[in-house]
Amino acid sequence: MRQSSTARVGGSRFLYEPFDAASARLEVNERIAEERWSQLERRLVQIEVGLDRLERRIWVAVYGAASLILADIAYGLMNVTGS
């Protein structure tokens, strides 16, 4: 009695099952795309944090300039009324 050539006699399943290269490529590409997406999201969060810091600094500068102008006006009014 002869065994058929497709019968499994033992060993690795990779010896008998065909390797689907297209499916493996798709899985790898999907994993790469997911990793790139997560890195893009991480970078966007960093950019948003940087923009928030910059916005705070700009507002501090605006409020500082406005307070200097108001202080100068108040000083001028005090000198006019004091004369």
Side-chain angles (χ1 to χ4, degrees), residues 3-39:
Q3 289 183 341
S4 71
S5 62
T6 60
R8 293 186 183 182
V9 181
S12 174
R13 67 181 173 101
F14 298 111
L15 294 175
Y16 303 104
E17 294 179 3
F19 178 70
D20 190 5
S23 174
R25 267 191 235 116
L26 285 174
E27 289 175 10
V28 169
N29 285 335
E30 287 173 357
R31 283 188 292 190
I32 290 172
E34 287 173 7
E35 184 64 28
R36 286 182 178 170
W37 189 257
S38 67
Q39 293 300 320

